[in-house]
Amino acid sequence: MKSWIQYEATTHFPIQNIPFGIYTTPSKSKRVGCAIGNYILDLATLVADKYLEFPRPEVLLQDTLNDFIALGKDTTSKFRLDIQHLLHIDNHKLQSNSNKVSYLDSMSEATMYMPVSVKDYTDFYSSIDHATNVGKMFRDPENALLPNWRHLPVGYHGRASSIVVSGTEVHRPKGQSMPKGATTPIFGPSQRLDFELEVAFIVGKPTNLGESVSVKNAYDHIFGLVLFNDLSARDIQAWEYVPLGPFLAKNFASVISPWVVTLEALAPFSVPQEPQSPEVLDYLKYEGNYNFDINLEVIISNAKLKQSIVQSNFKFMYWSMAQQLAHHTVNGCNLNVGDMMASGTISGPEPHQFGSMLELAWQGTKPLKMNDGTERTFLLDHDVCTLIGYAQADGFRIGFGECTTKILPAT
Ligand code: MN
């Protein structure tokens, strides 16, 4: 499939992708757009001028994608296919319009916003290599995984209000911690600020209280995916999380990529999971390929430095998104459009595939050597942390773009 719009083979946004997001330009108010090459397609104006048909045009001029997504996949999937058709090299309807640039906004002049209003946020813990690494560090190297881990996708309910879009700068959080060997806690800026490389899915179809979603039907309830950086203050976390789990160590900010990549765009990249052992309970059993082969990378940069420190892959997940959603709803917990559920840190078996500084520098004991001569055990002030993700096909990529944040000193 080729488009009449010019772009490089390495673009994250070829005609095969068509992800949705919310943007403005200096002359246009907030609206729904889709990414194509280095442009954003102004969908509301294309519908107003009859280049595209859409049953609820006012939805395309809203501040978030929630109402767009809530129309359901019958509507949004058809719209996405119509957009692909309009951009196809054999289609001259828009291509032959001498004023077609008025529908194509340059990405470099646009501002991106939170794509959805997040209703509820859940973070899972579904990478076996990550859970094993953390278990070895904090528990028992011989029994790194807790007894429940291979029987259910462990998760916790997080905070939706502090999920922010890529480009948002984040101040180093302050809080309580208990220094090694101390007997009373101290208060101050976190000394162990970390990223977590994750992918999150956005719920597109609600359920009623009491209803459950099966593994088989789970992907009907998922609209699309974003990259997710679950920023974590390890020193605050180590002191506060017993016995109830993550709290202020994680709720100060999480950062997502602005383009929501649809499940339809990612379907060609589905791959089998590693076989689960022991066998899981019936409601978690699956047939087919529910994981996705998506390359994931983390880059640390500042004025003097730009260095890739993680090369992982979404396919390393032990529990699939379908199993996560089936487990989340098996007790009757209801879903809302705009719910966000993150994977948990995605680590692979090799050290360069570890998805957090905690693991890369092994709790501060193996500092990372950086290209500018400095070392890192955790994030420093003024570091820019960028997550990148894309699935590679023969001749094109389905990408997420960037999920980036700069760490500012504590206030
Ligand atoms: Mn996490």
Side-chain angles (χ1 to χ4, degrees):
M1 194 164 24
K2 253 185 88 103
S3 175
W4 48 266
I5 293 179
Q6 304 282 318
Y7 46 72
E8 308 266 319
T10 53
T11 183
H12 281 203
F13 308 119
I15 187 171
Q16 290 87 352
N17 192 346
I18 313 293
F20 295 98
I22 299 290
Y23 78 105
T24 59
T25 71
S27 62
K28 290 179 181 177
S29 61
K30 268 193 189 177
R31 61 194 59 211
V32 177
C34 72
I36 178 80
N38 293 322
Y39 296 98
I40 303 173
L41 213 53
D42 179 350
L43 298 171
T45 309
L46 284 166
V47 169
D49 292 353
K50 310 266 187 254
Y51 282 100
L52 289 168
E53 278 181 37
F54 194 68
R56 296 269 310 280
E58 73 281 7
V59 163
L60 300 172
L61 287 171
Q62 291 183 2
D63 289 355
T64 68
L65 292 173
N66 292 53
D67 287 353
F68 175 78
I69 293 170
L71 293 173
K73 286 203 196 196
D74 285 351
T75 301
T76 57
S77 297
K78 181 183 178 298
F79 192 47
R80 184 173 161 273
L81 292 175
D82 289 349
I83 294 166
Q84 280 181 331
H85 181 63
L86 185 69
L87 297 175
H88 196 278
I89 193 154
D90 294 337
N91 186 331
H92 295 272
K93 192 174 176 182
L94 179 60
Q95 187 178 179
S96 61
N97 180 338
S98 58
N99 192 31
K100 57 181 177 279
V101 290
S102 64
Y103 303 99
L104 291 164
D105 293 308
S106 168
M107 263 185 197
S108 59
E109 285 164 27
T111 304
M112 300 301 300
Y113 298 86
M114 277 292 290
V116 290
S117 169
V118 180
K119 300 288 283 185
D120 275 304
Y121 157 56
T122 300
D123 195 20
F124 285 95
Y125 190 56
S126 288
S127 152
I128 197 164
D129 293 299
H130 173 69
T132 303
N133 285 339
V134 173
K136 278 185 195 167
M137 274 183 253
F138 291 111
R139 285 170 27 81
D140 174 3
E142 302 305 312
N143 295 289
L145 294 179
L146 284 164
N148 62 359
W149 202 91
R150 286 172 181 271
H151 294 280
L152 55 89
V154 174
Y156 68 93
H157 286 129
R159 180 99 190 143
S161 69
S162 52
I163 300 177
V164 295
V165 75
S166 176
T168 305
E169 298 179 328
V170 173
H171 286 277
R172 180 176 295 274
K174 292 179 288 197
Q176 279 196 30
S177 61
M178 180 69 94
K180 212 172 177 183
T183 50
T184 52
I186 58 167
F187 177 83
S190 169
Q191 301 300 310
R192 297 195 153 203
L193 182 57
D194 202 355
F195 62 84
E196 290 191 340
L197 169 61
E198 306 194 19
V199 170
F201 66 83
I202 295 167
V203 170
K205 186 178 172 184
T207 59
N208 294 316
L209 192 65
E211 259 181 66
S212 301
V213 175
S214 66
V215 169
K216 198 163 172 246
N217 293 333
Y219 287 171
D220 292 345
H221 292 265
I222 299 179
F223 175 75
L225 277 58
V226 292
L227 302 175
F228 191 100
N229 183 353
D230 180 18
L231 288 167
S232 300
R234 301 299 182 193
D235 41 2
I236 297 172
Q237 184 180 1
W239 172 231
E240 75 170 2
Y241 86 127
V242 182
L244 284 182
F247 186 35
L248 304 187
K250 296 204 177 241
N251 72 1
F252 59 95
S254 308
V255 189
I256 65 167
S257 53
W259 293 107
V260 184
V261 178
T262 63
L263 267 194
E264 291 96 317
L266 293 167
F269 304 93
S270 67
V271 290
Q273 282 163 257
E274 286 294 310
Q276 294 178 323
S277 175
E279 194 176 22
V280 295
L281 289 169
D282 280 348
Y283 78 93
L284 291 168
K285 286 192 178 135
Y286 66 93
E287 277 174 41
N289 297 338
Y290 281 97
N291 271 17
F292 291 91
D293 182 357
I294 300 172
N295 298 296
L296 299 169
E297 189 177 0
V298 180
I299 293 168
I300 300 294
S301 56
N302 60 34
K304 293 184 221 146
L305 176 72
K306 185 175 184 187
Q307 186 169 338
S308 173
I309 59 167
V310 186
Q311 303 86 40
S312 188
N313 194 300
F314 194 35
K315 72 183 178 189
F316 293 133
M317 301 298 290
Y318 186 86
W319 297 101
S320 67
M321 295 184 287
Q323 290 178 310
Q324 290 171 342
L325 202 56
H327 184 64
H328 203 298
T329 58
V330 74
N331 63 348
C333 173
N334 51 329
L335 301 172
N336 286 303
V337 171
D339 283 350
M340 188 166 282
M341 302 198 184
S343 56
T345 308
I346 302 159
S347 294
E350 303 291 331
H352 70 274
Q353 296 164 336
F354 293 173
S356 65
M357 290 296 295
L358 179 71
E359 296 162 89
L360 291 164
W362 209 258
Q363 227 181 336
T365 61
K366 294 180 187 170
L368 285 188
K369 302 258 181 279
M370 306 303 283
N371 293 337
D372 64 348
T374 62
E375 290 185 339
R376 289 290 182 290
T377 50
F378 291 96
L379 295 172
L380 300 181
D381 289 346
H382 312 294
D383 277 352
V384 175
C385 182
T386 302
L387 277 44
I388 293 175
Y390 64 88
Q392 182 70 53
D394 191 11
F396 68 91
R397 315 180 146 167
I398 300 291
F400 291 79
E402 288 186 352
C403 171
T404 192
T405 187
K406 184 175 182 177
I407 305 302
L408 299 180
T411 51

